[in-house]
Amino acid sequence: MRDNFGQMGLRGRWPRGLVVYATSQVVVLLVALIGAALVSKDADWHPVWTVVVLGVMAVGAHAFVIRVGNQRLSPSFVALVLAMILLGPAPAAAIGAVTMIVDGVRTKIRPLRLLPWLNNVSTYAMFPLVGALLARAVLGSDLHNPAYLRAHSLALALTVASVFLLTNALNFVLIAIHQRVMTGRGIVFQARTLLLPMLPSELAAAVLTALLAIAYAELRNGEIVLMGLVIVLAVYITLVRALARSE
């Protein structure tokens, strides 16, 4: 989920409240980037092809954002969760931030829409960092060992699904707070009208992502990851679009 750039509607000088809020978003982004740098390990960036595949998939999938109300749901979430689990905090946060930076360049962001874009960048840097740290806390720091992952496949699947749902909730909260500040829409109202209707597709995507993570651990095959991720993203997009049309 990401904020819709078109909802900002700011003109002229920002009120003090918005300046404070913008400053808070800069702080969130800095905390995420500094935190990622502090916990970064060389092993997190290997194998390099995994970093590249997940990064390209996250950026590419984001081009197929789905509009739901005044929000846009991004299929890149699946690739980001896999980065949280299979790589680590720093790569996941980096991929998330780069995804939003590229999105801003692609949509030719204008000055009046900088605040929604800043919110998107800070959000997409923060929740992958939190998710990866959570996964590391649950599964330990030996996530790059194939034998370890194969021996703990059930724990891996449960962790992937849990991290998917928890970070999805965190992502929603961060974006919903932005909408509350910018438009006055209550967070509970947004949860009822945006989050709850999408739960079936999110649960399905969480299960598919968990299965893909297990396949990665068992096979360690780049082609399987690439093809599997494409299939999961296609299924996710189809489910979300179907649910969005039904609302």
Side-chain angles (χ1 to χ4, degrees):
M1 184 175 290
R2 46 159 278 188
D3 179 61
N4 184 353
F5 286 165
Q7 297 296 317
M8 187 172 182
L10 292 178
R11 299 183 183 280
R13 186 186 298 272
W14 284 2
R16 177 174 297 182
L18 284 183
V19 173
V20 172
Y21 177 70
T23 302
S24 73
Q25 295 304 293
V26 173
V27 171
V28 169
L29 178 59
L30 290 176
V31 168
L33 296 179
I34 293 173
L38 290 176
V39 299
S40 179
K41 300 178 181 180
D42 183 65
D44 293 344
W45 300 90
H46 297 280
V48 174
W49 62 260
T50 302
V51 180
V52 173
V53 166
L54 293 178
V56 169
M57 284 295 173
V59 172
H62 196 76
F64 297 93
V65 291
I66 303 161
R67 186 185 297 274
V68 180
N70 67 317
Q71 303 279 7
R72 292 182 178 184
L73 299 181
S74 173
S76 64
F77 205 89
V78 174
L80 290 174
V81 172
L82 287 175
M84 298 176 212
I85 303 294
L86 302 177
L87 296 174
I95 291 173
V98 168
T99 297
M100 285 295 105
I101 291 172
V102 172
D103 182 67
V105 173
R106 182 179 60 83
T107 57
K108 298 179 181 179
I109 182 173
R110 295 190 293 272
L112 290 178
R113 298 179 180 178
L114 281 175
L115 186 51
W117 176 75
L118 177 59
N119 172 253
N120 287 332
V121 175
S122 63
T123 297
Y124 269 67
M126 179 56 74
F127 77 75
L129 174 66
V130 172
L133 290 174
L134 178 61
R136 182 167 290 180
V138 173
L139 295 174
S141 59
D142 206 16
L143 291 174
H144 301 290
N145 185 341
Y148 176 85
L149 292 177
R150 286 193 292 269
H152 299 82
S153 58
L154 178 59
L156 174 63
L158 292 175
T159 301
V160 172
S162 298
V163 167
F164 188 105
L165 296 174
L166 289 173
T167 52
N168 187 61
L170 175 60
N171 174 36
F172 169 79
V173 169
L174 293 173
I175 296 297
I177 290 173
H178 176 83
Q179 286 294 320
R180 179 68 179 85
V181 171
M182 301 301 300
T183 68
R185 292 185 179 90
I187 294 177
V188 173
F189 173 79
Q190 293 182 66
R192 187 172 65 251
T193 58
L194 298 174
L195 183 62
L196 292 181
M198 295 297 108
L199 274 182
S201 65
E202 300 301 330
L203 289 171
V207 172
L208 290 173
T209 306
L211 293 175
L212 188 56
I214 292 176
Y216 178 95
E218 294 289 341
L219 300 175
R220 303 294 289 183
N221 189 298
E223 288 75 15
I224 293 293
V225 172
L226 179 59
M227 294 306 298
L229 186 53
V230 169
I231 293 171
V232 169
L233 290 174
V235 171
Y236 179 83
I237 292 171
T238 301
L239 287 173
V240 172
R241 281 181 174 167
L243 286 170
R245 291 193 189 102
S246 68
E247 291 302 311

